[in-house]
Amino acid sequence: MKFNIIHNTVYVFNSEVFLEPHYLRFRPRQTPYMDVVDFSIAILSEPAGHKVIQDEENNVLDFCWFEGMTTKLTMTATSTLETKNYNPFDFLIYPIHYNRLPLQYDGLQKKLLFAALEGQLLSQSLLDYGTSILKASNFSTIPFLTNLTKQLHDDFNVEYREEGAPLNPDDTFTLKKGSCRDLSWMQINLLRQFGIAARFVSGYYYFDMDIPAYELHAWVDVFLPGIGWLGLDPSHGIFTGNTHFPLASSAHYTNTMPVSGGIRGNATSKLLTQLSIEKQK
């Protein structure tokens, strides 16, 4: 299948500002099940400089710097993607001891995955929630990942929140609701408690809608030897498939934000976004 994606992002300032250098994360990532056929990005105010770079975690970014004053920053990213057949359950965990939890990565893996294993303190109630699912899954890796992802979808209401960092995992757990990034950040920190390397992913998710209304999406990747990075989507209770289109992934959500950069000036800003995803017939 082929997909055309147009992602328009506009920051409007109520007075003139000077734009500091910005990192832009709108480039879809090439995967074994998805080819990036074409990508372009139009930026206004026009940058004085523009370079495509790789960050610390191998995400491909557009790095831009500016001159002069402006009251608006507009970014329009246009992508054409072609997907292949993909079965998320076509894998073999190896060595076989990784089929049991908690995981114990070997010495080199621990060093390479260190940031994705670094958890934060969680409430006992959230830990108990995860432990009960772990026990019901008989400490088996794939059943636990499947059951936890589905249970989060069943137990938490998903709501849209355009701006702001993910909530603290304990706050999301108490509220029993959150945005896709709230649920993902909670699941990531819970998984790390059981020794599973987990990272935050920002991207797009296509599914058929009567009235299309797409938004930037977030989900979770876990690392399992023999599989590599495996995607989990707690907002929908599923393993990710070939209509999840990743843009950036990181051990910390801050490094996946679509736009990172500051301004010089006293203006307030308004964010306007529009995302369209069309499947070619």
Side-chain angles (χ1 to χ4, degrees):
M1 294 182 290
K2 271 192 176 181
F3 296 87
N4 295 321
I5 302 173
I6 301 175
H7 190 174
N8 192 51
T9 304
V10 183
Y11 287 90
V12 180
F13 306 99
N14 67 350
S15 62
E16 286 195 328
V17 299
F18 180 84
L19 299 171
E20 299 285 3
H22 277 57
Y23 293 96
L24 311 179
R25 301 177 181 90
F26 293 104
R27 289 180 177 265
R29 188 172 66 213
Q30 187 90 10
T31 71
Y33 55 83
M34 184 188 77
D35 291 328
V36 180
V37 177
D38 190 40
F39 175 83
S40 64
I41 186 166
I43 306 166
L44 292 172
S45 300
E46 187 170 350
H50 179 183
K51 185 175 178 63
V52 179
I53 65 172
Q54 275 187 306
D55 72 4
E56 305 89 337
E57 296 172 285
N58 293 318
N59 297 301
V60 179
L61 321 180
D62 290 86
F63 178 59
C64 305
W65 55 99
F66 302 87
E67 293 177 351
M69 306 294 284
T70 187
T71 57
K72 183 183 288 188
L73 174 61
T74 300
M75 296 146 287
T76 303
T78 304
S79 308
T80 301
L81 311 178
E82 186 169 6
T83 61
K84 308 169 187 177
N85 289 332
Y86 175 69
N87 177 1
F89 292 95
D90 181 21
F91 55 68
L92 175 68
I93 296 178
Y94 185 82
I96 60 172
H97 66 81
Y98 288 102
N99 283 287
R100 301 289 295 172
L101 296 171
L103 293 190
Q104 288 292 334
Y105 298 100
D106 68 30
L108 179 57
Q109 286 173 330
K110 282 184 180 178
K111 290 180 180 179
L112 296 173
L113 296 169
F114 178 80
L117 287 164
E118 191 174 22
Q120 64 183 71
L121 290 175
L122 302 179
S123 66
Q124 191 60 49
S125 57
L126 179 50
L127 290 172
D128 290 345
Y129 177 84
T131 300
S132 67
I133 298 171
L134 178 63
K135 290 179 178 177
S137 305
N138 197 30
F139 295 86
S140 296
T141 302
I142 296 302
F144 172 66
L145 295 175
T146 303
N147 295 337
L148 176 62
T149 304
K150 183 178 184 303
Q151 201 64 51
L152 291 173
H153 170 262
D154 292 344
D155 292 344
F156 291 79
N157 292 324
V158 181
E159 58 182 21
Y160 177 63
R161 193 175 82 254
E162 186 175 53
E163 296 185 71
L167 298 178
N168 181 283
D170 287 328
D171 292 338
T172 301
F173 185 71
T174 299
L175 292 169
K176 294 295 183 290
K177 64 180 181 179
S179 68
C180 57
R181 60 189 180 278
D182 299 325
L183 297 187
S184 295
W185 189 236
M186 180 176 64
Q187 184 174 23
I188 285 167
N189 281 279
L190 194 52
L191 290 167
R192 290 175 181 176
Q193 296 295 321
F194 302 114
I196 302 173
R199 66 186 185 184
F200 189 96
V201 187
S202 174
Y204 308 126
Y205 176 44
Y206 174 86
F207 56 98
D208 291 323
M209 298 185 192
D210 292 333
I211 303 175
Y214 295 103
E215 298 151 355
L216 195 66
H217 192 47
W219 61 91
V220 178
D221 272 353
V222 296
F223 185 83
L224 297 172
I227 298 177
W229 291 101
L230 177 68
L232 316 172
D233 187 343
S235 300
H236 295 89
I238 58 174
F239 283 24
T240 60
N242 63 354
T243 57
H244 283 79
F245 308 136
L247 297 176
S249 57
S250 175
H252 197 275
Y253 60 82
T254 303
N255 211 36
T256 69
M257 298 299 100
V259 180
S260 299
I263 60 170
R264 273 185 257 167
N266 298 317
T268 59
S269 65
K270 183 178 181 181
L271 172 63
L272 305 170
T273 63
Q274 186 175 17
L275 174 63
S276 69
I277 307 177
E278 294 183 354
K279 181 169 63 174
Q280 291 187 9
K281 297 180 179 179

